[in-house]
């Protein structure tokens, strides 16, 4: 055993210092700031002989002369029983690295406790580092900027970057602080870096007043590219915002491609199975998924894939999907996104959701709410959407409430249940919106008003064309239609053309095969009511094949119904 004198070598690349035991590993701190020094581990090392190892760093110095800048090759051997408990920043086997190379390192059964910038292998990585084929296992406790692998990757500009490849982290993260933030299963905070083929198996338990930016793989990141990586496990931060199964908060041209999260997530708001909050100047998410997990929000803005999208910069979701179920005590919950804002054409392409959604108001199989959303490529939702509010609802098989939203080639197949404003495709469609070549098939049920096979309530100047619904519509309230339930009175002309509804319809009053209400200045053209049964539960209720309300009726051109359509009065029918 070398006992701090190394087992040989002269520190050059061709003849590195040979690290044989814990004391040799500790002696690396004598070569801080040296960019040419090389170390190679030649045996498994049991660190229990040093009860409280100090991070390899010159105290808490952040200068280049006080941090590790050389090369360490773990050579496939293990470092076991590493224990660090320091009430300071920059805590890990290496406190800070800059311009270093770490490779082939394995750390098992470790316990790391610190303040900020805390990780098993690295406290803080600061640029021009190469980390490859390194694997860590153990526990981390941090106040902030904490990760199982690296606490924070803190590259200050795009002129340099850190590169991670074929690395993994497995373990538990906790905190004794009242408001920990920037916590990630692999890395807590990351900017200007590249990560490929890295994986986190995590149990993040922040039962205290966790603050924000918590992720199964990374808590917060910007200007970073992550590819071919995964996060699996559980994340419990019931009082935290911006929490995701893979990433808590993402912004500034970040990219995630070919990545997967399978993490049960519990948090407060802005919570997603993959990303909690997709922020300003966004980025690209492509071929990513959140799968086989639960997303539970104790407040609002919860999505099976992303809690909230704020797309004010070129932002792209391509070929992404979620199978996560979503439960939310507040508003805005969707199988894919809780809320989508300002997502222009091309922002969301070929995405889908299959999970079930339950929240108080604004529930959608794809999105709880949208504003400024444009989708022109096929996207779909197959999960059920349900709202629990006893006064109002806004639930849709695709979107709960859609403002200024333009959709083409989209569909929904899930069942929809709400107090009011429920649609097989959209609960309420508002402002300058249109639908083209969209459809719905799930059963729609309300205990109140405005229930439609495709749209529960139209509160816009509509353009709806080449759409259909086969949804069965069951309402205990007024304004029920196989295509649209209720409509607002418009000051401009709207057009609904080449559409049909074919599901059975039941309502209290204003009940019809197509429109519970068709208001003035709205024209229905070349539409078909193919329903078998129209059932009304109020004696002498307004009911018809095309439009139910006979006192407020728009223009009907070339619209037809089946001669065999049945009009039935009865309560317990359908």
């Amino acid at each position: 055993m070398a006992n701090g004198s190394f087992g040989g070598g002269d520190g050059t690349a061709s003849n590195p210092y040979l690290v044989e035991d814990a004391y040799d590993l500790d002696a690396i701190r004598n070569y801080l700031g040296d960019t040419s020094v090389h170390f190679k581990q030649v045996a498994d090392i049991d660190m229990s002989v040093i009860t409280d190892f100090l991070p390899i760093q010159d105290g808490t110095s952040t200068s280049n002369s006080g941090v590790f800048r050389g090369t360490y090759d773990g050579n496939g051997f293990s470092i076991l029983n590493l224990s660090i408990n320091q009430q300071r920043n920059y805590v890990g086997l290496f406190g800070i690295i800059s311009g270093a190379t770490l490779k082939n390192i394995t750390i098992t059964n470790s316990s790391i406790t610190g303040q900020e910038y805390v990780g098993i292998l690295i406290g803080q990585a600061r640029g021009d580092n190469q980390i490859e084929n390194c694997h860590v296992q153990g526990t981390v406790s941090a106040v902030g900027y904490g990760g199982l692998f690296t606490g924070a990757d803190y590259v200050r500009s795009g002129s340099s970057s850190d590169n991670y490849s074929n690395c993994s982290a497995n373990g538990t993260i906790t905190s004794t602080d009242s408001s920990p933030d920037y916590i990630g299963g692999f890395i807590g905070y990351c900017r200007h870096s590249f990560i490929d083929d890295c994986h986190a198996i995590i149990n993040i338990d922040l039962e205290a007043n966790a603050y924000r930016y918590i992720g199964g793989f990374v808590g917060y990141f910007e200007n970073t590219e992550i590819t071919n990586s995964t996060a699996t496990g559980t994340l419990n931060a019931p009082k935290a915002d911006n929490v995701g199964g893979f990433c808590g908060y993402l912004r500034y041209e970040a990219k995630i491609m070919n990545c997967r999260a399978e993490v049960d997530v519990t948090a407060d708001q802005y919570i997603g199975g993959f990303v909690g909050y997709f922020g300003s100047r966004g980025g690209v998410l492509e071929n990513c998924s959140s799968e086989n997990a639960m997303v539970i929000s104790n407040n609002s803005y919860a999505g099976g894939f992303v809690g909230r999208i704020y797309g004010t910069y070129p932002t792209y979701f391509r070929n992404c999907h979620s199978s996560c179920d979503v439960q939310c005590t507040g508003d805005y919950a969707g199988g894919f996104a809780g809320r989508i804002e300002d997502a222009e054409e091309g922002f969301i392409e070929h995405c889908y959701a299959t999970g079930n959604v339950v929240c108080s108001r604004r529930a959608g199989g794809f999105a709880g709410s949208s504003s400024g959303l444009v989708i022109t490529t096929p996207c779909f939702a197959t999960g059920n959407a349900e709202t629990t509010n006893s006064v109002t609802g806004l639930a849709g098989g695709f979107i709960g409430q859609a403002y200024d939203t333009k959709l083409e080639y989209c569909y929904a197949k899930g069942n929809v249940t709400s107090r009011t404003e429920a649609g097989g495709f959209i609960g309420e469609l508002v402002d300058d919106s249109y639908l083209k070549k969209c459809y719905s098939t799930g059963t729609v049920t309300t205990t109140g008003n405005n229930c439609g096979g495709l749209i529960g309530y139209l509160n816009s100047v509509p353009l709806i064309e080449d759409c259909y619904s086969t949804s069965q519509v069951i309402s205990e309230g007024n304004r029920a239609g196989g295509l649209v339930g209720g409509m607002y009175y418009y000051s401009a002309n709207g057009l609904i053309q080449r559409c049909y509804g074919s599901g059975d319809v039941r309502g209290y009053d204003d009940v019809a095969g197509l429109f519970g209400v068709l208001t003035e200045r709205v024209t229905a053209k070349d539409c078909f009511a193919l329903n078998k049964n129209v059932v009304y539960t109020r004696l002498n209720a307004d009911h018809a094949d095309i439009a139910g309300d006979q006192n407020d009726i728009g223009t009907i051109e070339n619209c037809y119904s089946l001669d065999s359509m049945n009009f039935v009065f009865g309560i317990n029918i359908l």
Side-chain angles (χ1 to χ4, degrees), residues 464-467 483 496-501 525-528:
I464 301 171
E465 58 184 23
D466 302 307
C467 296
L483 199 67
I496 302 172
Q497 64 180 349
R498 299 188 301 275
C499 297
Y500 74 84
K525 182 178 180 181
D526 301 324
C527 294
F528 296 88

Side-chain angles (χ1 to χ4, degrees), residues 267-465:
D268 190 55
Q269 65 178 349
Y270 305 125
I271 167 178
F274 195 86
V275 177
Y277 195 114
F278 197 96
S280 60
R281 296 186 64 186
V284 175
L285 273 75
E286 188 168 348
N287 299 322
C288 294
S289 64
S290 52
E291 304 175 11
N292 306 317
M294 284 292 303
V295 175
I296 300 174
S297 168
N298 297 320
N299 198 326
S300 299
Y301 301 100
F305 191 84
V306 54
R308 186 174 182 179
I309 300 171
Y310 187 65
T312 58
Y313 196 76
T315 299
Y316 305 101
F317 290 76
R318 295 174 178 148
N319 302 312
C320 295
H321 69 271
S322 172
S323 62
C324 297
D325 290 337
V326 180
Q327 295 179 4
C328 177
T329 61
D331 297 349
Y332 304 106
F336 188 83
R339 181 169 172 81
I340 304 172
E341 299 175 72
D342 300 321
E344 299 176 358
E345 183 173 355
F347 274 33
I348 298 177
E349 299 180 348
H350 302 287
C351 295
Y352 67 90
T354 61
N356 298 319
V357 178
V358 179
C359 71
S360 178
R361 299 189 308 159
R362 299 181 180 88
F366 190 83
S369 175
S370 65
S371 175
L373 170 65
V374 180
I375 298 178
T376 58
T377 61
C379 293
F380 66 87
T382 61
N384 301 328
E386 178 183 354
T387 59
T388 58
N389 191 285
S390 61
V391 178
T392 183
L394 302 164
F398 196 76
I399 299 176
Q401 186 179 46
Y403 288 83
D404 189 20
T405 293
K406 300 171 175 61
L407 305 175
E408 300 181 32
Y409 304 104
C410 297
Y411 65 87
K413 291 189 174 182
N415 299 328
V416 179
T417 304
S418 180
R419 168 64 178 162
T420 62
E421 288 80 46
F425 190 70
I426 291 178
E428 182 182 33
L429 190 63
V430 185
D431 292 342
D432 184 19
S433 300
Y434 71 69
L435 306 180
K436 298 179 180 180
K437 299 179 175 64
C438 297
Y439 71 89
S440 62
T441 63
T443 298
V444 185
T445 305
T446 66
T447 56
N449 300 329
N450 303 316
C451 186
L454 190 74
I455 301 168
Y457 189 69
L458 267 175
N459 192 6
S460 66
V461 179
L463 173 60
I464 301 171
E465 58 184 23

Side-chain angles (χ1 to χ4, degrees), residues 510-512 515-517 541-553:
D510 301 331
V511 189
F515 310 104
V517 175
D542 282 349
H543 63 277
D545 54 350
I546 304 299
D549 187 349
Q550 300 300 302
N551 299 313
D552 181 15
I553 192 164

Side-chain angles (χ1 to χ4, degrees), residues 66-141:
V67 305
F68 185 74
R69 308 192 69 199
T71 297
Y72 187 93
D73 181 357
N75 198 26
F77 290 99
S78 294
I79 299 171
L80 301 88
N81 305 316
L82 174 65
S83 177
I84 305 175
N85 187 348
Q86 296 288 314
Q87 296 307 308
R88 49 165 273 190
N89 297 337
Y90 313 113
V91 176
L93 176 63
F94 295 93
I96 298 177
I97 62 171
S98 178
T101 296
L102 304 180
K103 58 185 179 180
N104 307 317
I105 299 170
T106 299
I107 302 175
T108 62
N109 195 34
S110 60
S111 175
I112 312 297
T113 299
Q115 292 291 305
E116 294 186 338
Y117 308 107
V118 182
I120 293 174
L121 182 61
I122 305 161
Q124 184 189 85
R126 225 169 47 187
D128 293 322
N129 297 295
Q130 303 294 323
I131 303 104
E132 59 186 65
N133 193 33
C134 294
H135 309 279
V136 302
Q137 181 273 324
T139 63
V140 166
S141 178

Side-chain angles (χ1 to χ4, degrees), residues 11-30:
T12 61
S14 59
N15 189 24
Y17 289 124
L18 302 182
V19 178
E20 294 183 336
D21 59 24
Y23 301 103
D24 287 349
L25 193 61
D26 187 57
I28 291 174
R29 71 182 69 254
N30 298 323

